[in-house]
Amino acid sequence: MMTSSSSINLSLSEQEHLIEKLEIFKIQGRDKRGRKILRIIGKLFPAKIVSVEALNKYLEEKIFPGLDELPFSVVYVDTGVQRSENFPGISALRTIYKAIPTSVKDRLETVYFLHPGLQSRLFLATFGRLVFTGGLYWKVKYVSRVEFLWEHVRRNEMEMPEFVHDHDEELEYRPLMDYGLESDHRRFYCMSLVDAPLSVYSMSCIA
């Protein structure tokens, strides 16, 4: 979970450099309607060592200006996310979302949520309206396979990490994983909604 910058060893500038180096957020390609795409790779987000302050500063200085004050879409990749490593926490999510300028929120057309799990869907269905106000919840579109993403996004303009394609292939052989009916041993850490405290849900356990 994310915390304040005072409890993190890295300076704000070092945290921002880390975010940029990992390419967690990248403006890349366009959707089929010509809008820019902000690609977010959830698995790469180091929630334990990056503060809310650093993330907000990075988005404000490096990402939002690149959207050119025009309508845009987001591709959020949920593949391989772990709650203990990548989830910023619900309060942090709300703080980050509130810090996004209204003009940016208004220009966001669609969020393509790639590889959502059952617990991800349950989380958003239960808490999405509380965390993401202003209509963002209704802009989320679940995409179960990379091949279906290309129906909305220009394929030759966006890169995906190899682990995303590997997961896609695994889903072809184990389709019940899409619905949480078959265990994924690499993601066993996703506890049930009943047993896990709210604060430890991950981005792999939301939506």
Side-chain angles (χ1 to χ4, degrees):
M1 295 178 61
M2 296 179 72
T3 183
S4 64
S5 57
S6 61
S7 60
I8 293 177
N9 293 327
L10 298 177
S11 67
L12 276 177
S13 61
E14 288 173 330
Q15 293 175 54
E16 290 182 72
H17 178 71
L18 178 61
I19 294 171
E20 184 166 15
K21 181 179 179 180
L22 293 174
E23 294 190 331
I24 305 161
F25 303 89
K26 188 172 184 178
I27 298 174
Q28 185 181 71
R30 295 179 182 271
D31 63 18
K32 291 294 182 68
R33 299 182 63 181
R35 298 173 297 210
K36 283 188 174 182
I37 295 285
L38 171 57
R39 189 200 66 181
I40 305 173
I41 307 296
K43 182 180 179 179
L44 302 181
F45 186 69
K48 287 184 175 181
I49 57 175
V50 170
S51 67
V52 171
E53 294 92 329
L55 178 57
N56 283 340
K57 190 169 184 289
Y58 177 80
L59 292 175
E60 180 181 356
E61 295 179 354
K62 300 295 182 65
I63 298 300
F64 297 152
L67 297 173
D68 299 332
E69 298 187 358
L70 296 171
F72 69 99
S73 296
V74 167
V75 170
Y76 172 74
V77 182
D78 194 48
T79 320
V81 170
Q82 301 180 30
R83 74 162 183 276
S84 60
E85 301 294 331
N86 315 120
F87 181 52
I90 292 177
S91 61
L93 278 179
R94 295 188 69 174
T95 301
I96 294 166
Y97 183 67
K98 287 181 179 179
I100 298 175
T102 301
S103 60
V104 175
K105 295 176 185 176
D106 290 343
R107 297 199 309 273
L108 174 58
E109 296 290 328
T110 308
V111 177
Y112 298 104
F113 199 112
L114 181 62
H115 289 160
L118 175 62
Q119 295 189 35
S120 296
R121 295 171 182 264
L122 288 174
F123 182 94
L124 270 189
T126 306
F127 303 106
R129 297 174 184 83
L130 300 177
V131 176
F132 304 115
T133 57
L136 176 61
Y137 173 81
W138 303 107
K139 297 179 181 181
V140 175
K141 292 185 178 181
Y142 297 117
V143 183
S144 61
R145 299 285 196 282
V146 175
E147 64 178 294
F148 300 144
L149 180 65
W150 305 141
E151 296 177 3
H152 309 280
V153 175
R154 297 176 184 177
R155 180 172 186 166
N156 61 344
E157 296 184 6
M158 176 169 290
E159 299 174 357
M160 283 292 174
E162 192 62 31
F163 68 84
V164 176
H165 295 289
D166 291 342
H167 184 70
D168 229 42
E169 291 181 10
E170 188 172 6
L171 289 175
E172 290 299 320
Y173 294 99
R174 301 168 61 188
L176 291 180
M177 284 173 56
D178 271 343
Y179 308 100
L181 301 178
E182 181 180 343
S183 171
D184 180 349
H185 297 294
R186 293 177 302 175
R187 300 172 70 182
F188 69 93
Y189 45 76
C190 281
M191 301 166 65
S192 70
L193 289 173
V194 174
D195 296 333
L198 181 61
S199 63
V200 299
Y201 290 138
S202 75
M203 293 299 287
S204 69
C205 301
I206 69 170

